[in-house]
Amino acid sequence: MELLIFYPLALVSVGLAMGVVFNKSPIGSAVCLIGMMLGLAGVFVLLQAHFLAILQILIYAGAIMVLFMFVIMLLNLKDDDKVWKVRERNVWLSSLAGALMVGVLYKIVNITAGAEFNAPAKVPDEFGTVEMVGTALFTDFVLPFEVPSILLLAAMVGAVVLAKSNVD
Amino acid sequence: MVPLSHYLIFSATLFSIGVLGVLIRRNAIVVFMCVEIMLNAVNVSLIAFDRYLNQHDGQIFSFMVICVAAAEVSIGLAIVIALFRNKPTVNLDELNLMKW
């Protein structure tokens, strides 16, 4: 039963991720990326990580993608013919890297498909709710919770400084 | 039930697509989007392990990954805007000022 939900979600997510890479216009890529984030939120719900699914939609599909859209429209990016020009100098290197990537993917599929995984653990009903994740976050992981706040503060200041100053 | 290996293969596929995009696209903003795909792929495998081991650590770590992604995007897009002000292009091949 869960497979029937998982396969369409996974196929749509992978297809939309390919759409991000192979779309000619940046706006099209951004729209595909939003769709992929929503598909991944569905996968998270399937994994009973409800809180993370909501965060995925709020932060990724909401905030981050709005920022992307804003910058794309601000810079008024048009479709770019030069984007798909193959650089002759790098053809062999690229082919080698692609072959290596396919090999790594094959190896991962091979290992994970052959491994003996137990059935999913028996989890309580409230697994992945705000209460459970919040309790873990504010008891065992207080320091890792504070570090990203410093990071976000630094990012905020850095973004303002970078976008404001006239570099020339 | 979905076996764990399905989630891991899904995650590896998404990660490879992200790497592919970073390697073949020349548009700086699309390269950022492909980095986002890679971060999301990692989140999928973290949360899948979490569910199958009945732990909470993976969800906390994917929370951190989302925080880092937000910071990375804000800084990265600010850098793109600052670059665009200097030279009106986002083609990474043309931004070779620091090329040795």
Side-chain angles (χ1 to χ4, degrees), chain A residues 7 21 23 56 87 163 167, chain B residues 6 25-26 40 85-86:
Chain A
Y7 278 127
V21 176
N23 218 315
Q56 176 89 1
R87 284 159 296 170
V167 230
Chain B
H6 284 43
R25 289 306 298 259
R26 302 264 63 83
N40 271 296
R85 197 179 280 146
N86 256 0

Side-chain angles (χ1 to χ4, degrees), chain A residues 64-134:
Chain A
I64 292 183
M65 293 317 295
V66 166
L67 199 59
F68 268 115
M69 286 289 197
F70 176 71
V71 170
I72 292 170
M73 290 181 176
L74 182 73
L75 301 185
N76 197 14
L77 299 178
K78 292 287 182 330
D79 303 4
D80 197 351
D81 294 335
K82 286 177 288 184
V83 164
W84 293 106
K85 191 188 64 184
V86 177
R87 284 159 296 170
E88 295 80 16
R89 209 169 40 138
N90 290 345
V91 167
W92 287 108
L93 208 56
S94 309
S95 314
L96 185 65
L100 281 178
M101 202 66 215
V102 170
V104 168
L105 196 57
Y106 172 74
K107 195 64 190 166
I108 290 175
V109 170
N110 214 355
I111 291 174
T112 53
E116 291 276 321
F117 286 116
N118 300 327
K122 198 97 181 89
V123 293
D125 276 344
E126 65 267 25
F127 180 81
T129 54
V130 181
E131 191 187 348
M132 290 284 264
V133 177

Side-chain angles (χ1 to χ4, degrees), chain A:
Chain A
M1 183 57 208
E2 278 189 25
L3 281 173
L4 283 182
I5 309 171
F6 174 73
Y7 278 127
L9 277 177
L11 284 179
V12 165
S13 301
V14 169
L16 286 171
M18 297 294 274
V20 174
V21 176
F22 293 109
N23 218 315
K24 274 219 184 303
S25 75
I27 287 282
S29 292
V31 172
C32 284
L33 191 55
I34 293 176
M36 196 207 76
M37 303 294 185
L38 294 179
L40 287 188
V43 173
F44 291 170
V45 169
L46 201 58
L47 284 167
Q48 285 196 16
H50 306 291
F51 180 51
L52 261 297
I54 292 297
L55 276 189
Q56 176 89 1
I57 293 175
L58 279 182
I59 297 181
Y60 266 122
I64 292 183
M65 293 317 295
V66 166
L67 199 59
F68 268 115
M69 286 289 197
F70 176 71
V71 170
I72 292 170
M73 290 181 176
L74 182 73
L75 301 185
N76 197 14
L77 299 178
K78 292 287 182 330
D79 303 4
D80 197 351
D81 294 335
K82 286 177 288 184
V83 164
W84 293 106
K85 191 188 64 184
V86 177
R87 284 159 296 170
E88 295 80 16
R89 209 169 40 138
N90 290 345
V91 167
W92 287 108
L93 208 56
S94 309
S95 314
L96 185 65
L100 281 178
M101 202 66 215
V102 170
V104 168
L105 196 57
Y106 172 74
K107 195 64 190 166
I108 290 175
V109 170
N110 214 355
I111 291 174
T112 53
E116 291 276 321
F117 286 116
N118 300 327
K122 198 97 181 89
V123 293
D125 276 344
E126 65 267 25
F127 180 81
T129 54
V130 181
E131 191 187 348
M132 290 284 264
V133 177
T135 308
L137 198 58
F138 288 109
T139 51
D140 296 338
F141 295 98
V142 175
L143 184 63
F145 174 71
E146 293 296 336
V147 171
S149 64
I150 305 286
L151 174 74
L152 287 175
L153 178 68
M156 202 164 68
V157 175
V160 169
V161 170
L162 273 176
K164 174 177 71 75
S165 60
N166 262 319
V167 230
D168 47 11

